[in-house]
Amino acid sequence: MKHTDLREPTTGQAVGGNDANTASDQPVPPDKDGRGEARADLEPTGHTYTLRGHGVFERLLAAPGVSAFTDVVAGVTEVYDPTNKPFMGGAVMMVDNVVPLDGERVRIRVDSGWPEDVTVRVSLQYFA
């Protein structure tokens, strides 16, 4: 499917118009899902997960307090197996996608940039 054939799921409108990569002079407004108000009852939360994988891989992570509307950020680093300490190895680490889900779960896609399994630590940060 070419990008020009993509449709926005709720309206069926073509995504992006003529050139979706061109910046407009108009600011993009926030989503109107009712979550824009400041809240003092949310606490910052962080969890780490030790995973093994190679190339591009996905994992489903348990994340207490997360719903599909939680803003979640993730980081990844390679870790040295014997000590479980982060180090700068030869693999180029990237988090490609972070998808918060209902049921206190987060699906992530990591690119380890390495053809063999490496041990990585994924850190999630969010407010719950």
Side-chain angles (χ1 to χ4, degrees):
M1 176 186 309
K2 297 186 308 186
H3 288 287
T4 56
D5 296 334
L6 296 178
R7 301 278 174 196
E8 201 279 323
T10 56
T11 64
Q13 299 288 330
V15 173
N18 293 336
D19 187 358
N21 291 329
T22 302
S24 168
D25 289 337
Q26 299 298 316
V28 176
D31 292 342
K32 298 197 184 314
D33 59 8
R35 300 181 316 110
E37 73 280 358
R39 294 184 49 191
D41 61 332
L42 297 176
E43 293 290 327
T45 304
H47 296 285
T48 59
Y49 308 82
T50 301
L51 311 171
R52 285 192 58 79
H54 65 275
V56 177
F57 60 93
E58 293 182 13
R59 295 292 187 274
L60 185 63
L61 307 175
V66 166
S67 75
F69 295 101
T70 304
D71 293 325
V72 179
V73 294
V76 64
T77 186
E78 189 172 359
V79 294
Y80 184 57
D81 283 326
T83 63
N84 202 31
K85 290 183 178 180
F87 77 104
M88 184 80 67
V92 177
M93 300 286 165
M94 291 184 288
V95 176
D96 290 340
N97 295 91
V98 180
V99 182
L101 302 167
D102 287 330
E104 300 186 326
R105 302 170 302 150
V106 173
R107 181 170 301 282
I108 60 157
R109 181 177 297 140
V110 173
D111 185 349
S112 72
W114 205 252
E116 299 163 1
D117 277 359
V118 292
T119 303
V120 301
R121 180 182 302 145
V122 171
S123 300
L124 296 184
Q125 302 292 320
Y126 56 93
F127 287 87

